[in-house]
Amino acid sequence: MHQASAFGFFSRNRVVNVDVVIVGAGAAGLFCAGVAGQLGLKVLLLDHAPKVAEKIRISGGGRCNFTNRDATPAQYLSANPHFCRSALSRYTPQDFIALVQRHGVAYHEKHKGQLFCDRSAEDIIDLLLKECAAGAAGGSVTRWQPCAVRQIRYHDGAAAPDAATPAAGRYEVDTDQGTVHCHSLVVATGGLSIPKIGATDFGYRVARQFDLRLVEQRPGLVPLTFDGAAWAPYAQLAGLALPVAMETGSKKAKGLFLEDLLFTHRGLSGPAVLQISSYWQPGTPIRINLAPEHDLPALLARAKATSRKLLGNELGQHVPSRLAEAWVQQDAAWQRPCSDVTDKALGALAERLSRWELVPTGTEGYKKAEVTLGGVDTRDLSQQTLESRQPGLFFIGEVVDVTGWLGGYNFQWAWASAHACAQGL
Ligand code: FDA
């Protein structure tokens, strides 16, 4: 009986020999498969999910922010911030843009170098599938999906497995569609974000099996939540969005972003918060300037000298009026005509709005996080090829302890790490 696949046919339940098995048909796995196939390698791509690249499909609100024109290592978090430099410099945003143009995918720049498909994220998935279908010099990509991996065994040269095992395979991968032998094994199973579309800890388990180190994982690019009672005064602001400056962290790892903030019923979201969340450590504060474009002390001093309006109304000229109203309700000293408010109360209001400090109780977790921070420790990986200390075992994409900012950086890491790996297979 034959297993139909996207690009070829393999017999079910018999031993199969390929050069490379790639586990995970997401962004990194698909791209790595396409490049490796075109370099002449016989590739088998496996994914336990029924649909290919589901995360690409839902990314960027369905339009996939596929890269950032200005990506540099400075926009990535890792225990070793220099690790990503090599792969990122050898496969750049311009390289991926050229590929997108070759495939005739229409795109546009939205904000701060972020490139999105004009039509749909499906265009990027089609591009990757076409690259997989374009194997050259005897190379090919076969995809088994859905297909789960049950067990991985490694044989070094000295200890050959049983007589039936072809000599070429250092790895034996037992899948629910038979056993596969391969020279190289690439783990591209991503992080823990959005379990309902197939995220698992598979990559971390494989790393542990081969005694590779892990950096602790936590959700990143994720909304922050606050204690119910403490948040009650702000819950009325749910749905309000405004540009802010936001910061958190120590001198060593400080995040500072000028982006939009969104109030929600449970806490804070929007691009500023998602960015900051990757730098936030539990128990520590975040600081928000709610009026970063204004010199509030000067504006309020002028209002005191010239205006008879209520302070809340005057403030509403400079920040959204819902925010101004909710703010002045916090102190009776602020609920007066501007000219009657004391200098001390005005100073306290300006300080509170421009340095609002609060301690989140947590995050919305992996069900809402766009990425997973931490992962396979880069100390155990080659920065040239992403091969681990375990010969022939590679890790690419989000499973590695390299996490980008919001804005196309994570896909750029997926493409760049996949490309570097394919050259090293
Ligand atoms: P990815 O998650 O893409 O793929 C992993 C694959 O492995 C999946 O197909 C999964 O089914 C498979 N898998 C997992 N466990 C397995 C197992 N046990 N056995 C077999 N297969 C297994 N980034 C960006 O740059 N621009 C954007 O616009 C967005 N937008 C965005 C929106 C949302 C809602 C999310 C959740 C994330 C984003 N991202 C993003 C982040 C981006 O999607 C992410 O960083 C990349 O998809 C990571 O690529 P990988 O290939 O490493 O993992």
Side-chain angles (χ1 to χ4, degrees):
M1 181 179 174
H2 283 84
Q3 164 67 31
S5 75
F7 313 111
F9 288 88
F10 275 89
S11 298
R12 191 191 274 263
N13 292 332
R14 73 174 176 85
V15 173
V16 168
N17 233 320
V18 293
D19 297 313
V20 194
V21 167
I22 302 176
V23 187
L30 273 169
F31 192 54
C32 186
V35 177
Q38 291 175 38
L39 288 171
L41 296 174
K42 204 167 159 197
V43 180
L44 176 63
L45 180 59
L46 308 176
D47 199 298
H48 70 155
K51 279 171 97 173
V52 70
E54 192 61 1
K55 223 172 251 180
I56 298 181
R57 195 167 283 111
I58 62 166
S59 68
R63 294 244 165 104
C64 185
N65 176 194
F66 56 81
T67 192
N68 192 298
R69 231 184 244 296
D70 307 319
T72 71
Q75 291 93 33
Y76 293 86
L77 292 89
S78 170
N80 175 3
H82 300 295
F83 178 83
C84 59
R85 191 173 293 277
S86 172
L88 288 173
S89 67
R90 285 180 295 134
Y91 193 82
T92 64
Q94 286 64 37
D95 290 323
F96 196 76
I97 294 166
L99 182 68
V100 165
Q101 288 170 343
R102 274 205 301 283
H103 281 262
V105 174
Y107 66 92
H108 59 279
E109 182 170 338
K110 211 168 173 181
H111 174 61
K112 298 186 176 175
Q114 302 168 6
L115 302 187
F116 287 77
C117 297
D118 284 356
R119 203 188 68 84
S120 158
E122 294 285 351
D123 288 349
I124 297 296
I125 300 175
D126 287 350
L127 173 159
L128 294 167
L129 293 174
K130 282 183 190 147
E131 287 294 302
C132 285
S140 63
V141 180
T142 302
R143 179 161 52 94
W144 286 358
Q145 205 167 354
C147 176
V149 174
R150 291 178 181 157
Q151 216 188 356
I152 297 168
R153 287 179 299 279
Y154 171 71
H155 305 283
D156 61 22
D162 60 68
T165 304
R170 317 187 245 197
Y171 287 93
E172 274 178 51
V173 183
D174 288 343
T175 77
D176 54 15
Q177 295 183 20
T179 297
V180 188
H181 292 260
C182 58
H183 186 69
S184 304
L185 178 61
V186 179
V187 178
T189 46
L192 299 168
S193 319
I194 325 280
K196 73 168 190 246
I197 58 163
T200 71
D201 65 349
F202 179 87
Y204 313 130
R205 279 188 275 124
V206 175
R208 272 189 224 106
Q209 178 184 343
F210 292 100
D211 291 327
L212 304 174
R213 288 169 285 190
L214 291 171
V215 174
E216 196 187 346
Q217 298 95 58
R218 60 190 172 90
L221 301 181
V222 64
L224 297 172
T225 55
F226 295 85
D227 172 71
W231 192 248
Y234 309 108
Q236 58 176 308
L237 294 173
L240 177 71
L242 73 160
V244 301
M246 229 174 145
E247 62 175 5
T248 194
S250 60
K251 267 192 196 140
K252 207 173 136 214
K254 193 179 185 116
L256 171 62
F257 293 92
L258 265 167
E259 288 279 3
D260 279 2
L261 166 86
L262 173 70
F263 283 86
T264 70
H265 288 287
R266 285 163 50 84
L268 295 172
S269 188
V273 175
L274 300 187
Q275 298 283 32
I276 274 295
S277 70
S278 296
Y279 288 84
W280 177 69
Q281 296 291 342
T284 65
I286 57 173
R287 282 171 297 280
I288 308 174
N289 183 346
L290 291 161
E293 286 143 16
H294 299 292
D295 179 354
L296 274 184
L299 284 173
L300 295 178
R302 197 174 324 128
K304 180 176 160 95
T306 58
S307 171
R308 294 277 318 145
K309 278 191 205 160
L310 285 172
L311 180 57
N313 292 345
E314 186 64 38
L315 189 59
Q317 311 279 317
H318 311 295
V319 299
S321 50
R322 275 173 76 195
L323 177 72
E325 199 43 47
W327 229 256
V328 294
Q329 277 169 21
Q330 295 175 28
D331 193 329
W334 296 335
Q335 293 162 28
R336 296 159 166 264
C338 296
S339 52
D340 293 352
V341 183
T342 65
D343 288 344
K344 194 171 163 213
L346 279 184
L349 178 62
E351 170 73 13
R352 186 81 201 285
L353 278 164
S354 54
R355 262 186 80 81
W356 185 29
E357 186 167 296
L358 57 176
V359 180
T361 42
T363 75
E364 293 278 7
Y366 289 117
K367 68 179 191 305
K368 290 273 174 70
E370 287 203 7
V371 288
T372 302
L373 292 148
V376 179
D377 194 322
T378 59
R379 287 177 299 176
D380 289 343
L381 301 177
S382 152
Q383 52 180 310
Q384 266 73 44
T385 62
L386 284 296
E387 186 172 11
S388 68
R389 275 194 296 107
Q390 163 68 28
L393 178 64
F394 297 72
F395 292 83
I396 57 174
E398 198 179 315
V399 72
V400 177
D401 172 33
V402 172
T403 307
W405 287 1
L406 186 77
Y409 301 100
N410 285 296
F411 280 135
Q412 186 57 36
W413 170 247
W415 318 137
S417 59
H419 193 266
C421 168
Q423 312 296 315
L425 290 169

